[in-house]
Amino acid sequence: MPHYQPLPPEALKLTINPEDLDIPLATASEQTSILGQARARSALEFGIAMQNPGYNIYVMGEPGTGRLSMITQQLEQSAPNQPTPPSYAYVDNFDNPREPVSIELPAGYGQKFCADIDELIDNLLATFPAVFESPTYQQKKAAIERAFNQRYNMAINQVEKKAESLNVALYRESETITFVPVKDDKLLEDEQFIQLPQAEREAFHRHTEELENYLGDVLLELPQWRRSLVEQLKQLDDATINQAIEPLFEALIEDYQNVDDAITYLDEIKKNLSQTIVDVLAANPGLDSRDQISKRLLLKEQYAPNVLVDYKTECGAPVVYEPHPIYPNLFGRIEYISDQGTLVTNYRRICPGSLHQANGGYLILDAEKLLTYPFVWEGLKRALKSGRIEIESPYSELGINTMTLKPEVIPLNIKVVLVGSRDIYYLLHELDDEFNEMFRVLADFDHRILLNPDSMQNFAQLMMRHARDTGSKTLTSTAIARLIEHSCRLSENQHRLSAHINDSLEIIGEANLLCACSAAEYIDQAHIEQALSAREQRNGRLSEEILEEMLDGTILIDTDGTAIGKANGLTVLEIGGSSFGAPARITATVYPGSRGIVDIEREAELGQALHSKGVMILTGYLGHCYAQQFPFAISASIAVEQSYGYIDGDSASLAELCCLISALTRTPIKQGFAVTGSINQYGEVQAIGGVNEKIEGFFRLCKARGLTGQQGVIIPAANKRNLMLMKDVIDAVEAGQFAVYAVSIVDEALELLTGHEAGAMDSEGNYPENSINFKAISRLKEISDMAHEEDKEEGPE
């Protein structure tokens, strides 16, 4: 049997030479906060520069890889050089207050226009009602009223003369006219009138009726006279108002002569002011200050613009990140106030959303949150497709009307940057055709970065810059070397750094605390090691409980001796934010029959798809290797013992196959070994994930029971580059107390586990006698013959 050599200690971990990291601290400030990601950076640059519609950007990657940092960095470089978008405000629609009007102003003019309108209101309060108290106005008003009174008096005088001729007196009290009987040039009281003869009383009634008819004829045009009076007074008021406000508007019109929307709104204010001044400002003199304040608030509510966005001149395009993209936060909302128990609103209660604030620039959104909140995704697509922002109730399509205003739409010119995972991107790409039309730029962030001198230098500079910016103590080169090694462990590759830079940055903060507690001047490798150990200790409760159950025999795992049909598999448990390895016993039984290989996990509905696939591959391998000259007839059961949850992944298939062949050939397996790896139908061992945690999980158990030098793990040869084991494992390997073997084919694993030769097939298709493969094919042929004999006996007589 060939003798297999375990992997040497230097192959079990990448070791960085601190002397290769000679980086001056001065250069740390010159580096960016992003490591690698050249592909994503190029895509972002293209997406930002591309101004055609539909070229919004989807940034795809995992959290902690620097997605937001790179987006912010790129936009901070390009946005200031772009044109500053215009300001927008809502103003009252005097013709239809339910539909406020939007006005567009140049950048920086929003608050200025607001201040100018405030000044206009102050001037109006100072001007009115003083204008109506001027002698000129009073004289003209008195002349108009006097002309009316003269015409009225002349008509009444005619009636009065006729009444005198009929011996009747005309009596005027205010605007009431009555007729009184006269006798001997004296007005008669009611008692005196009753004492008159019947004929005289009747004559008075006839005369009164005649006079009333005459009065009606004379005053037939009185309503027209009054309308004329009102019209003349209104014309006088309008002329007076226009003459008074014209100087107030001259400077405003000159300042905003090139701003069409502002000029239009000023004209509307002038038209509306006539009635407002008469109703509100033409009050009686002697108002107290409280009334003046209330009138100012009334005018402000009616005329002051509601500025939604107003960027300073030459500040560039806005960059807005919306952390909570619910519908009102994104598209704006309308607020209400309670007025005597009734909810009321107006254009001043319109609040902007992120789309308003980022209009003309860039809006950064989290894709998962965007899809979580109702109506938001459809609303965003509608806004991007139509090129306008419409403030509306998202519930209107459900028949629920919660709005009383319909603000005018605002043109939308924006580039949206969606930040999300790969799953969300592929889901949207497959299910939503509009997504493909609107988000044509993909910035794909790698989760691993090639390890080379440049990336190591950049990583080191990034770590030092972070330590300096956060006020941490300076990192030594050995500390940075340890951080690089830890990053490679996170990526599970000796040739790749993890793109999850945040994890390394967090370790610096934790190591800085330990450094401060020990009063050290620099953060050294020892502090990094302590921080990593402390983190493992904090997250290690479950792994310790499982280890204790193995040690006290609750979970049955052997680490010495031999057994038939039993092997130690390696698993990884991921719970919360921690993952750890734990060995699991795999057992197999074989007996005559034709049921095939039964996966107990699948039968119990605990085995997931990938695990079931791995077990099915075993049948293909056995048939390919052992059943070329006779039918493959076997009954066998495979189980992962003491597993009470779902099992997925095919990394146990190598251990399951070895366990099955052991049960088939009655060949014992060394229990001091644990096995991981998947296989294909030709017996090639394939790479698996979590190799470091798996090895360390079995090593902890062996170490707790006592290392014998006969213990070790078997892993796929393809996983050698993934080894980044902890120091205690490497020390044990170097001392000859533990071993890590890498295999490429099933036969190599069988020979290591059993200590017997697996046997290679010769040119005639035969295996060497007494080899494991020879025993397997002999046993399978025996079972096949037994099944054939049973079929003969059960045949028709």
Side-chain angles (χ1 to χ4, degrees):
M1 187 194 82
H3 180 69
Y4 292 98
Q5 294 293 330
L7 295 176
E10 57 270 17
L12 303 181
K13 175 179 175 291
L14 169 70
T15 302
I16 301 296
N17 186 0
E19 295 180 357
D20 296 337
L21 301 171
D22 184 17
I23 307 167
L25 291 178
T27 62
S29 61
E30 301 172 4
Q31 295 298 314
T32 66
S33 58
I34 308 299
L35 184 64
Q37 309 295 356
R39 180 190 295 106
R41 189 186 303 275
S42 175
L44 273 175
E45 291 174 353
F46 168 76
I48 292 171
M50 191 67 174
Q51 298 300 318
N52 292 3
Y55 283 85
N56 298 295
I57 306 170
Y58 188 98
V59 179
M60 182 172 71
E62 300 175 8
T65 55
R67 298 173 304 176
L68 280 177
S69 298
M70 181 178 287
I71 294 168
T72 304
Q73 184 184 90
Q74 293 289 331
L75 292 178
E76 284 178 352
Q77 294 175 359
S78 62
N81 300 323
Q82 298 181 19
T84 305
S87 303
Y88 284 97
Y90 274 112
V91 295
D92 197 3
N93 182 349
F94 303 118
D95 296 329
N96 185 4
R98 188 178 177 276
E99 298 181 0
V101 177
S102 66
I103 61 173
E104 178 181 326
L105 303 168
Y109 272 63
Q111 296 302 328
K112 178 180 181 302
F113 190 58
C114 232
D116 288 341
I117 297 298
D118 280 350
E119 185 179 355
L120 174 65
I121 292 172
D122 291 336
N123 292 335
L124 289 172
L125 290 170
T127 303
F128 300 95
V131 168
F132 296 117
E133 298 170 2
S134 66
T136 303
Y137 174 81
Q138 293 295 335
Q139 289 175 0
K140 292 180 179 179
K141 181 179 180 181
I144 295 172
E145 293 175 345
R146 187 166 52 251
F148 171 81
N149 291 332
Q150 288 177 352
R151 177 178 291 184
Y152 180 78
N153 292 333
M154 288 177 60
I156 297 301
N157 290 338
Q158 293 179 15
V159 177
E160 189 174 14
K161 289 180 179 178
K162 184 171 183 178
E164 290 177 357
S165 64
L166 298 176
N167 207 26
V168 177
L170 186 147
Y171 180 73
R172 285 195 296 178
E173 183 177 0
S174 183
E175 294 185 0
T176 304
I177 297 176
T178 56
F179 295 99
V180 180
V182 176
K183 188 171 185 180
D184 299 332
D185 295 332
K186 293 181 179 180
L187 299 178
L188 299 180
E189 301 291 339
D190 290 341
E191 294 80 2
Q192 296 174 336
F193 179 74
I194 294 174
Q195 296 176 0
L196 292 176
Q198 179 70 23
E200 291 184 13
R201 292 201 303 271
E202 291 178 357
F204 173 74
H205 287 307
R206 287 196 303 272
H207 295 159
T208 300
E209 183 177 356
E210 181 181 353
L211 289 173
E212 288 176 348
N213 291 334
Y214 182 65
L215 177 64
D217 293 339
V218 171
L219 298 180
L220 183 64
E221 296 182 356
L222 180 61
Q224 182 177 347
W225 299 345
R226 291 190 179 278
R227 287 194 298 271
S228 177
L229 170 66
V230 171
E231 182 65 27
Q232 290 180 29
L233 290 175
K234 185 177 183 305
Q235 291 177 359
L236 174 61
D237 288 345
D238 290 345
T240 303
I241 290 171
N242 290 334
Q243 185 178 6
I245 67 175
E246 191 64 34
L248 305 181
F249 280 86
E250 284 181 358
L252 285 175
I253 293 175
E254 184 177 352
D255 288 345
Y256 296 94
Q257 58 183 339
N258 297 323
V259 184
D260 294 341
D261 284 2
I263 294 296
T264 302
Y265 180 56
L266 290 173
D267 289 342
E268 292 297 324
I269 292 178
K270 286 178 68 176
K271 294 177 184 177
N272 187 261
L273 267 177
S274 297
Q275 189 61 43
T276 301
I277 290 173
V278 171
D279 294 341
V280 179
L281 300 183
N284 294 326
L287 296 174
D288 58 25
S289 59
R290 185 174 54 187
D291 288 331
Q292 286 292 96
I293 293 173
S294 64
K295 289 186 176 183
R296 189 181 190 285
L297 290 176
L298 183 63
L299 292 177
K300 191 175 179 66
E301 286 287 311
Q302 189 168 353
Y303 296 119
N306 177 15
V307 178
L308 298 183
V309 287
D310 183 31
Y311 291 101
K312 295 181 180 179
T313 309
E314 299 181 357
C315 71
V319 178
V320 177
Y321 171 66
E322 177 52 66
H324 189 48
I326 60 175
Y327 199 93
N329 288 355
L330 203 59
F331 297 94
R333 65 187 184 279
I334 299 175
E335 295 180 341
Y336 295 81
I337 59 173
S338 178
D339 184 8
Q340 297 181 355
T342 303
L343 292 178
V344 296
T345 186
N346 61 18
Y347 77 97
R348 300 271 298 168
R349 304 290 180 266
I350 301 174
C351 301
S354 300
L355 283 175
H356 297 93
Q357 295 167 353
N359 197 6
Y362 303 89
L363 177 61
I364 306 170
L365 297 169
D366 186 289
E368 184 176 359
K369 294 179 181 177
L370 193 71
L371 297 173
T372 300
Y373 300 120
F375 309 107
V376 176
W377 175 242
E378 292 299 326
L380 178 62
K381 290 192 300 180
R382 187 164 56 248
L384 292 176
K385 196 170 184 178
S386 63
R388 61 185 192 178
I389 313 172
E390 186 172 357
I391 301 178
E392 58 182 355
S393 169
Y395 306 103
S396 58
E397 60 189 45
L398 301 179
I400 304 172
N401 186 11
T402 59
M403 296 182 62
T404 58
L405 296 181
K406 187 176 179 58
E408 185 180 7
V409 298
I410 291 177
L412 178 64
N413 176 26
I414 198 172
K415 187 176 291 292
V416 175
V417 181
L418 273 187
V419 183
S421 65
R422 286 175 168 77
D423 292 342
I424 292 178
Y425 174 80
Y426 294 128
L427 185 67
L428 289 172
H429 199 278
E430 180 179 358
L431 300 180
D432 194 332
D433 293 335
E434 291 179 322
F435 172 76
N436 306 327
E437 298 176 3
M438 296 179 182
F439 291 86
R440 298 177 181 174
V441 180
L442 172 64
D444 191 357
F445 272 66
D446 296 323
H447 64 281
R448 294 186 299 183
I449 299 164
L450 181 64
L451 183 67
N452 55 37
D454 288 341
S455 61
M456 282 197 298
Q457 299 290 84
N458 291 338
F459 181 91
Q461 291 178 340
L462 179 57
M463 296 300 105
M464 288 191 296
R465 178 184 177 185
H466 175 77
R468 185 202 62 199
D469 292 345
T470 57
S472 300
K473 295 187 178 182
T474 305
L475 293 162
T476 64
S477 58
T478 55
I480 293 176
R482 185 64 186 92
L483 286 172
I484 293 176
E485 293 170 3
H486 175 68
S487 182
C488 290
R489 177 181 169 89
L490 291 178
S491 70
E492 293 190 351
N493 197 308
Q494 296 181 2
H495 310 295
R496 295 286 190 276
L497 289 167
S498 171
H500 292 265
I501 301 299
N502 281 353
D503 188 85
S504 298
L505 301 180
E506 290 170 2
I507 292 173
I508 292 176
E510 296 169 13
N512 182 64
L513 177 61
L514 297 172
C515 180
C517 292
S518 62
E521 187 176 356
Y522 300 102
I523 299 176
D524 204 355
Q525 179 181 357
H527 301 113
I528 302 296
E529 294 283 5
Q530 291 175 23
L532 292 173
S533 298
R535 176 176 290 189
E536 184 179 359
Q537 175 66 23
R538 291 194 299 270
N539 299 330
R541 182 184 63 84
L542 289 176
S543 64
E544 288 181 3
E545 287 185 358
I546 292 175
L547 178 60
E548 290 174 1
E549 290 181 348
M550 292 178 183
L551 293 175
D552 63 22
T554 303
I555 298 176
L556 301 177
I557 299 289
D558 292 331
T559 55
D560 57 10
T562 60
I564 295 174
K566 296 179 183 178
N568 295 325
L570 296 176
T571 64
V572 172
L573 301 179
E574 295 184 2
I575 301 175
S578 64
S579 63
F580 56 92
R585 173 175 284 181
I586 298 173
T587 61
T589 59
V590 177
Y591 47 92
S594 58
R595 291 186 61 192
I597 299 175
V598 176
D599 177 12
I600 293 178
E601 308 301 328
R602 181 179 61 186
E603 296 298 321
E605 298 184 353
L606 293 177
Q608 301 295 293
L610 291 180
H611 179 265
S612 299
K613 176 185 176 183
V615 175
M616 292 176 184
I617 289 175
L618 300 185
T619 304
Y621 173 78
L622 292 173
H624 170 71
C625 290
Y626 304 135
Q628 295 295 317
Q629 299 177 0
F630 53 85
F632 181 68
I634 189 176
S635 292
S637 297
I638 298 177
V640 179
E641 302 293 351
Q642 293 182 288
S643 64
Y644 306 104
Y646 292 108
I647 298 176
D648 201 7
D650 60 353
S651 63
S653 56
L654 175 60
E656 290 169 337
L657 177 59
C658 293
C659 195
L660 183 63
I661 293 176
S662 169
L664 181 66
T665 63
R666 308 288 189 188
T667 304
I669 287 178
K670 298 176 183 178
Q671 299 301 294
F673 280 97
V675 187
T676 184
S678 69
I679 62 168
N680 61 25
Q681 296 185 95
Y682 292 94
E684 296 172 320
V685 181
Q686 302 167 144
I688 46 84
V691 64
N692 295 299
E693 290 83 357
K694 290 177 178 179
I695 294 173
E696 290 161 358
F698 186 66
F699 173 80
R700 280 194 296 268
L701 175 61
C702 295
K703 183 179 180 181
R705 287 180 173 172
L707 295 172
T708 64
Q710 302 300 316
Q711 297 151 331
V713 293
I714 299 172
I715 66 170
N719 281 118
K720 288 192 290 185
R721 64 180 180 178
N722 304 118
L723 293 175
M724 289 295 297
L725 295 172
M726 292 185 174
K727 188 176 184 300
D728 54 351
V729 182
I730 299 174
D731 290 343
V733 170
E734 193 168 9
Q737 298 177 321
F738 195 77
V740 179
Y741 294 92
V743 298
S744 300
I745 58 175
V746 171
D747 287 349
E748 294 176 357
L750 284 172
E751 292 178 350
L752 282 167
L753 288 171
T754 63
H756 298 283
E757 182 181 3
M761 184 183 293
D762 60 19
S763 59
E764 297 179 359
N766 299 318
Y767 290 103
E769 192 172 351
N770 294 326
S771 66
I772 296 175
N773 288 331
F774 178 81
K775 293 179 181 179
I777 200 169
S778 299
R779 178 61 176 157
L780 286 172
K781 189 175 188 309
E782 179 184 345
I783 295 174
S784 178
D785 291 342
M786 291 171 60
H788 184 63
E789 290 297 329
E790 290 179 1
D791 291 341
K792 283 184 178 181
E793 293 177 1
E794 295 176 1
E797 295 181 357

